[in-house]
């Protein structure tokens, strides 16, 4: 475990010394929340309430964590530095945990920031807000696992394309982060319910509103995806390590 | 005492047999030069010995531990300085060394002490707080080697350690490598004949994935009836190519 924490410490430094992490991880979701909130207020019929918008933006912000984790792994894989680590006593599990651990508190911090701005924008404070912040963790694990899997299979340019462009768009469109997916149609709703993104957003909304209707299903789907993708990431990373 | 013994080690990449029944023995505390032309199988051999690649068949024992069955035990006693400079670019020189020492199980205090020793030995104090990615090629190479030494390995693999260094940096590194003689077992791959001759106790010539000849530079020159080690190497490799 000590080795894993040492490796995690290195990854924290790598992430925090990259200005893109701060820019995309913290500033962008907050700016988006403010912007969409203002648009919503200035339209004749309020499109989205801050109660619905905030969990959506909090989850959307996590798509950048897929990019961070994927780029970190892919960049390491492209250098001899990882070869040195592969020859060390670190195991594939140590690597994946070491890459994941630093991102979870950062994801939590991003959610705290997002909900703090939402409180300023008019979200009423209650214990549910704190619960909603914590409810981001399964979704954070999910998005980080997507990044780790991508980083274990692809090079850094491909990860940039997949996680930076494709995943952020798919995540927004298929999650209903800032528009109701029911508006698109029943078929699309069914399609989105197969993917974990809408469940991640709905999980946050359920927790924030204090409704238990569907909460366990949303939680189960997000956790199941997170576990399966994490296992796949470990296997893919192990395969990459064996290939050298 | 034998530090490394390979037993019919084989590895192919598709239809290319990179290492073909490699049998070599390295004594404890020896600096062993592994020489060969490009694609001879040196780096593949090192990668298998450092548990980065699994052999297709055969095995190697490193201080009695099998690379096939006991890779975890092997990884604790070895370290490697890869052909390309292997440093974490966003970490400082000190952070890079501390990281590797702690990954190998050193406490923070032990790691700091070992880091300070190597900073002095490899003259890295000037760049101690600089990020590795901002260092010159020479400093990066020195740091990469320091990172391989920080764990006090019993067996050290140096894959072309002076590649890209200027003559002064190269000579300084030679002096440092010479000091390792007797302290740890070193396998050194290089394309530089003078380097192999100056540093190695014994030299193994690798061609087409297997060991063609092994001995001191003088032995190999006598065996090939040549006046220089470079000529001896060329003759040994050419004879193999003609077969």
């Amino acid at each position: 475990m000590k080795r894993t924490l040492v490796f995690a410490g290195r990854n924290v430094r790598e992430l925090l010394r990259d200005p893109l992490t701060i820019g995309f991880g913290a500033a962008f979701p907050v700016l988006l929340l403010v912007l969409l909130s203002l648009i919503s207020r200035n339209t004749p019929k309020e499109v989205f309430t801050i109660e619905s918008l905030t969990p959506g933006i909090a989850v959307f912000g996590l798509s950048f964590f897929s990019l961070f984790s994927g780029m970190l792994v892919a960049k390491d894989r492209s250098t001899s530095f990882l070869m040195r680590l592969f020859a060390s006593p670190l195991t594939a599990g140590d690597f994946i945990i070491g890459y994941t651990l630093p991102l979870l508190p950062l994801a939590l911090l991003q959610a705290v920031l997002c909900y703090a701005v939402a409180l300023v924008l008019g979200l009423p404070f209650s214990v549910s807000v704190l619960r909603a912040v914590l409810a981001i963790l399964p979704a954070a694990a999910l998005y980080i696992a997507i990044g780790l899997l991508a980083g274990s299979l692809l090079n850094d340019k491909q990860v940039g394309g997949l996680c930076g462009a494709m995943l952020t768009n798919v995540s927004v469109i298929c999650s209903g982060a800032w528009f109701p997916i029911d508006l698109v149609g029943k078929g699309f709703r069914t399609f989105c319910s197969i993917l974990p993104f809408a469940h991640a957003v709905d999980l946050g909304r359920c927790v924030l509103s204090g409704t238990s209707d569907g909460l366990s299903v949303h939680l189960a789907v997000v956790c199941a995806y997170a576990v399966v993708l994490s296992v796949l990431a470990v296997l893919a990373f192990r395969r990459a390590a064996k290939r050298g | 005492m034998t530090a490394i013994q390979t037993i019919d080690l084989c590895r192919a990449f598709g239809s290319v047999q990179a290492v073909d029944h490699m049998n070599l023995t390295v004594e404890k505390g020896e600096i062993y030069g592994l020489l060969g032309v490009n694609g001879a199988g040196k780096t593949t051999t090192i990668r298998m010995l450092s548990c980065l690649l699994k052999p297709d068949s055969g095995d190697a024992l490193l201080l009695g531990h099998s690379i096939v069955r006991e890779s975890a035990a092997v990884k604790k006693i070895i370290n490697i300085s890869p052909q390309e400079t292997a440093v974490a670019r966003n970490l400082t020189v000190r952070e890079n060394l501390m990281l590797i020492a702690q990954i190998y199980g050193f406490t923070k205090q032990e790691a700091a002490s070992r880091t300070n020793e190597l900073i002095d030995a490899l003259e890295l104090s000037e760049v101690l707080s600089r990020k590795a990615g901002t260092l010159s090629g020479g400093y990066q190479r020195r740091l990469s080697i320091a990172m391989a030494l920080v764990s006090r390995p019993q067996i050290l693999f140096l894959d072309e350690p002076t590649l890209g260094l200027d003559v002064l940096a190269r000579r300084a590194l030679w002096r440092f490598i010479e000091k390792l003689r007797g302290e740890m077992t070193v396998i050194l791959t290089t394309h530089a004949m003078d380097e192999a001759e100056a540093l190695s106790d014994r030299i193994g010539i690798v061609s087409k994935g297997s060991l063609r000849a092994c001995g001191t530079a003088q032995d190999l020159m006598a065996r090939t009836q040549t006046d220089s080690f470079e000529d001896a190497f060329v003759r040994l490799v050419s004879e193999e190519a003609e077969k």
Side-chain angles (χ1 to χ4, degrees):
Chain A
M1 192 61 192
K2 189 194 151 201
R3 287 190 176 103
T4 313
L5 293 176
V6 168
F7 180 60
R10 173 260 168 176
N11 294 330
V12 170
R13 289 194 186 99
E14 288 281 351
L15 287 165
L16 295 181
R17 285 175 188 176
D18 185 352
L20 280 180
T21 311
I22 313 293
F24 279 102
F28 192 67
V30 165
L31 282 174
L32 205 60
L33 182 64
V34 173
L35 189 70
L36 289 172
S37 178
L38 290 175
I39 291 171
S40 186
R41 275 183 204 174
N42 291 317
T43 46
K45 191 183 172 202
E46 201 171 20
V47 182
F48 245 20
T49 61
I50 193 77
E51 287 85 355
S52 288
L53 200 54
T54 312
I57 298 294
V59 167
F60 167 69
L62 293 174
S63 56
F64 295 110
F65 282 76
S66 295
L67 181 66
F68 302 153
S69 57
M71 290 297 274
L72 189 59
V73 177
K75 274 185 182 172
D76 276 352
R77 279 183 52 231
S78 70
T79 69
S80 291
F81 177 67
L82 201 61
M83 180 179 167
R84 180 191 288 292
L85 295 182
F86 282 155
S88 80
L90 287 172
T91 63
D94 290 332
F95 279 107
I96 296 299
I97 296 169
Y99 282 123
T100 306
L101 274 183
L103 286 162
L104 282 175
L106 289 177
L108 207 56
L109 201 65
Q110 187 199 56
V112 168
L113 199 63
C114 203
Y115 276 92
V117 172
L119 289 173
V120 174
L121 292 171
L123 180 72
F125 180 77
S126 68
V127 182
S128 295
V129 173
L130 300 175
R131 288 196 189 118
V133 168
L134 289 175
I136 207 77
L137 284 173
L142 162 75
Y143 277 90
I144 293 166
I146 292 171
L148 294 178
L149 181 60
S152 300
L153 295 172
L154 308 170
N155 65 37
D156 54 347
K157 280 183 186 167
Q158 290 168 326
V159 169
L162 183 79
C163 296
M166 200 173 141
L167 181 67
T168 47
N169 283 307
V170 169
S171 179
V172 163
I173 294 165
C174 298
S175 70
W178 59 70
F179 68 90
I181 45 181
D182 288 330
L183 291 177
V184 185
K186 201 179 167 189
F188 187 67
R189 170 85 236 183
T190 308
F191 172 71
C192 291
S193 67
I194 297 166
L195 297 173
F197 310 115
H199 291 285
V201 171
D202 288 342
L203 173 65
R205 284 178 183 152
C206 281
V207 173
L208 187 64
S209 63
T211 53
S212 56
D213 192 26
L215 189 142
S216 52
V217 173
H218 299 315
L219 182 64
V221 171
V222 174
C223 288
Y225 264 99
V227 169
V228 169
L229 288 168
S230 295
V231 170
L232 288 176
V234 172
L235 295 176
F237 194 83
R238 192 175 283 169
R239 185 167 156 264
K242 277 182 185 166
R243 280 182 164 191
Chain B
M1 186 187 171
T2 303
I4 301 170
Q5 184 181 15
T6 70
I7 308 144
D8 286 327
L9 206 56
C10 292
R11 173 77 197 204
F13 298 101
S15 59
V16 179
Q17 190 68 41
V19 174
D20 187 10
H21 295 88
M22 175 75 77
N23 288 292
L24 63 84
T25 304
V26 181
E27 297 303 316
K28 199 173 175 188
E30 189 176 28
I31 298 180
Y32 188 93
L34 207 53
L35 255 68
V37 293
N38 289 333
K42 308 181 298 287
T43 297
T44 304
T45 302
I46 295 250
R47 286 165 79 99
M48 283 192 282
L49 293 178
S50 48
C51 302
L52 291 166
L53 271 180
K54 285 225 183 282
D56 293 334
S57 63
D59 199 352
L61 301 177
L62 275 68
L63 294 170
H65 300 290
S66 157
I67 59 165
V68 177
R69 288 171 280 107
E70 300 169 273
S71 62
V74 170
K75 285 179 173 187
K76 286 179 186 166
I77 58 168
I78 64 162
N79 210 323
I80 181 168
S81 176
Q83 204 173 89
E84 291 165 35
T85 303
V87 297
R89 296 176 63 82
N90 276 335
L91 299 193
T92 67
V93 168
R94 179 179 281 284
E95 286 169 346
N96 265 290
L97 291 168
M98 290 288 289
L99 169 71
I100 299 299
Q102 289 180 279
I103 281 175
Y104 279 82
F106 284 63
T107 64
K108 212 169 182 177
Q109 289 76 15
E110 288 167 342
S113 159
R114 186 69 185 136
T115 294
N116 289 336
E117 280 173 34
L118 285 163
I119 283 165
D120 289 341
L122 281 157
E123 296 169 17
L124 290 164
S125 55
E126 269 181 37
V127 292
L128 195 59
S129 303
R130 278 178 55 188
K131 283 186 190 172
T134 66
L135 301 177
S136 67
Y139 271 123
Q140 284 197 12
R141 178 66 64 175
R142 267 193 264 174
L143 172 59
S144 188
I145 290 171
M147 287 164 76
L149 289 163
V150 77
S151 63
R152 290 189 201 280
Q154 294 178 61
I155 297 172
L156 174 67
F157 298 102
L158 295 176
D159 199 359
E160 301 200 28
T162 58
L163 191 73
L165 292 187
D166 63 48
V167 67
L168 293 179
R170 190 163 168 254
R171 286 298 171 102
L173 203 53
W174 281 15
R175 285 194 294 276
F176 184 78
I177 293 169
E178 274 170 354
K179 287 182 197 164
L180 301 176
R181 195 186 313 279
E183 266 188 48
M184 61 185 70
T185 307
V186 180
I187 286 209
L188 168 85
T189 73
T190 180
H191 281 293
M193 299 298 130
D194 56 341
E195 185 165 291
E197 196 176 358
L199 294 175
S200 311
D201 295 308
R202 285 190 306 142
I203 297 164
I205 309 287
V206 181
S207 179
K208 293 182 180 171
S210 56
L211 194 67
R212 174 75 183 85
C214 176
T216 63
Q218 295 300 322
D219 284 344
L220 296 173
M221 279 155 47
R223 198 180 303 176
T224 51
Q225 296 176 323
T226 50
D227 296 328
S228 74
F229 178 63
E230 187 167 323
D231 288 341
F233 172 79
V234 169
R235 184 161 296 176
L236 284 165
V237 173
S238 304
E239 279 172 8
E240 182 65 21
E242 283 163 14
K243 280 183 187 173

